[in-house]
Amino acid sequence: KFLVKMIADLNILNIISFFLIFFIGLPHGSFDGAVASLVGFRNRIQFLWFLFYYLALFFFVILFWLYFPIISLVIFILVTIVHFGLCDWANFRINKYKYQVSFTYGMTIIFGIIFFNEKESLLIFEYLTNEKIYYFQNYFFIPYTLTFFSIVYFIYLSFFEKKLRKGVLEILLLLLIFYIFDPLLSFTIYFCFFHTYKHLKHLIKNIYLNLPNKKFVIYSTLIFTIISWIGGLGIIYYLVHNYSLYESILKVIFIGLAALTLPHMMLVDVIYRKRFK
C-alpha cells in the first residue's frame, strides 16, 4: 500500500522526466572522471586529489543549500544559465559572440520554461526551498524582458553569422517545447536531448583523440553513474518518510544537480574548454 501511494503521487509525465534524468542526464556528468584524466589528472595521486576537490565542492553545496535554500536556488539558476549557455555557444564552433550567444541560450532555457509555466515553476521552487518565494514573482518581468531582447539580438546576429541561423530554429523549437510541456518535462527534454548530446559529442571526440586509456573512461563512467543512482535512490527512500515521492525526487534531482553543477562547471567550463575549444 505504501508503494502504491507513493507511485500515485506521480503522473506519467513525471515518471518519464525522472526516468530520463536518471538514465540519460546523470550519466553525462559521470564522464567527469574521464574529463579530469583528459585535462591532466592522470596518475593515481592526481586523480585522488581531483576526487577530493570534486566531492568537497559537492558536499559544500548541499550543506549550503540546507542552511541558505533561497540564496542557493538563485545561485543555482545563475550558474545553470552560464553553464548551459557556454555549452550551446561552444557547439557552434565560432570564436565570437561568446557572451551574446551564451546569455541568450542560458536565459531562454531557464526563463523560457518559467515564463510558460510560472505557477508550476514557483511550486517546484517552493518544494526546493521549503519557503514561500512568491515575492520574487513581482520581479520576473526583468529577466523576461532581458530574454526577449536577447533573442531578438540573436536573430539579428544570425544575419551576419550563418552558423547562428540553425540556433534561431533551435531556440524557437525549445520555446515551443516549453509552451507545450510542464516545467519538469521541458527541463528534462533540454537537459537530456540538447545539453547532454552537445556536451558528449564534443567530449567523446576529444577523449578518442587524446586519451590512450579508453577502458578507464568506461569503468570510471560506470562507477560514477552507479554510485549516483544508488545514492539518489537511497536519499529518496529517506525523504519519502516526510515528503511525497514527487517532492522527494524533485529535491534529490535539483539539489543534487546543483551540487554536481559547481564542480562539473569548474572542470568543464574553466579547465576543459580552455584546452579543447
Side-chain angles (χ1 to χ4, degrees), residues 222-239:
L222 284 175
I223 290 170
F224 291 153
T225 299
I226 292 170
I227 290 174
S228 65
W229 285 345
I230 294 173
L233 291 173
I235 297 172
I236 289 171
Y237 178 77
Y238 171 78
L239 290 176

Side-chain angles (χ1 to χ4, degrees), residues 118 133-142:
E118 195 169 280
I133 61 165
Y134 296 94
Y135 169 80
F136 294 94
Q137 189 175 12
N138 298 323
Y139 301 95
F140 278 177
F141 73 92
I142 298 174

